[in-house]
Amino acid sequence: MAPLPDGFSYAEWNATYNALSFGIAAMGSATIFFWLQLPNVSKNYRTALTITGIVTLIATYHYIRIFNSWSEAFTVASKDGGDYAVQLTGAPFNDGYRYVDWLLTVPLLLIELILVMKLPQQETVSLSWKLGLASALMVALGYPGEIQEDLAVRWFWWCLSMIPFCYVVFTLAVGLAEATSKQPSPAAASLASAARYLTVLSWCTYPFVYMVKSVGLAGPAATMYEQVGYSLADVLAKAVFGVLIWALASEKSAIEESGKVLPK
């Protein structure tokens, strides 16, 4: 965990502060919503929706920890009515919470998508293990580079983490296409497709944010872009993705309860 650079402007500090605050609010409210909706979906999809809420609950906890760590790392004060001055306190900013969060939540995100698509049991188990392990490996390989200042080392670990990343993205974009087309209604198929592609889109944000410090940006600006970028990507990948999972579960529940499709 590298020390924070000195020289943050109030705007740079405040942008990160607000992005982290937004993450707490988005993840926390999403958790409440998902769990309140559990009685409104059939029992076939309650596990997927429960996992969705667990993902955002874990994220809420870690965003609170990151937010508190960010606040403790700075003092912000205005002297004699002038502009706010931002100074480091010397306390460490622990961004490692993000990787702990991702190590737990990223595999669960993929598992909840597989569960709500209601594939055959053998395929569900196989895909859950493959995608879960690949995504955990991706996160584990990314962390050593994240805490390095040496650009060559950062690029090395980035390249390694992209191997399981590409496997997961390919499976989502291509491997699950047939399963998506077999959903019980056009609306369900559309929602499943949207969930897959939102995952791909939001995931593609992370490698680019990771590279911020490797393409010439440095100092406070790089830290701000990194924190804001990761926060926005997390909200898309967890809270917004979770809403699509809920919508898909609701659609399929309604179809099954109407008798148009019998549960397997």
Side-chain angles (χ1 to χ4, degrees), residues 51-169:
I51 293 174
T52 304
I54 291 172
V55 165
T56 50
L57 178 65
I58 293 171
T60 302
Y61 167 77
H62 284 110
Y63 264 87
I64 291 171
R65 298 301 299 268
I66 298 169
F67 179 86
N68 289 341
S69 184
W70 181 261
S71 299
E72 291 165 3
F74 297 91
T75 57
V76 182
S78 173
K79 186 176 181 181
D80 300 326
D83 293 337
Y84 286 103
V86 179
Q87 294 181 327
L88 296 174
T89 63
F93 172 54
N94 188 358
D95 197 29
Y97 290 125
R98 285 197 184 278
Y99 278 82
V100 176
D101 176 88
W102 293 337
L103 194 61
L104 295 169
T105 60
V106 171
L108 290 174
L109 283 168
L110 297 173
I111 290 171
E112 72 188 59
L113 175 61
I114 294 166
L115 287 175
V116 82
M117 292 185 74
K118 204 179 177 188
L119 303 172
Q121 183 176 1
Q122 185 175 357
E123 188 177 358
T124 296
V125 173
S126 176
L127 275 173
S128 295
W129 275 107
K130 288 178 182 178
L131 293 180
L133 290 174
S135 60
L137 180 62
M138 173 191 71
V139 174
L141 289 172
Y143 183 67
E146 186 72 71
I147 60 176
Q148 292 291 328
E149 293 296 318
D150 187 314
L151 295 185
V153 177
R154 286 181 66 86
W155 279 112
F156 172 77
W157 288 107
W158 181 86
C159 290
L160 285 183
S161 67
M162 288 300 291
I163 297 172
F165 172 87
C166 290
Y167 167 74
V168 173
V169 168

Side-chain angles (χ1 to χ4, degrees), residues 164-239:
F165 172 87
C166 290
Y167 167 74
V168 173
V169 168
F170 177 81
T171 302
L172 289 173
V174 179
L176 290 178
E178 183 179 354
T180 300
S181 66
K182 293 180 179 179
Q183 294 301 302
S185 74
S190 178
L191 287 167
S193 181
R196 286 166 50 225
Y197 286 113
L198 176 64
T199 304
V200 172
L201 175 65
S202 61
W203 275 36
C204 285
T205 306
Y206 291 98
F208 289 104
V209 176
Y210 185 99
M211 290 189 295
V212 161
K213 293 179 179 177
S214 305
V215 293
L217 279 175
T223 300
M224 177 198 69
Y225 285 124
E226 184 179 61
Q227 293 303 317
V228 172
Y230 280 149
S231 298
L232 294 177
D234 274 349
V235 170
L236 281 175
K238 295 169 186 173

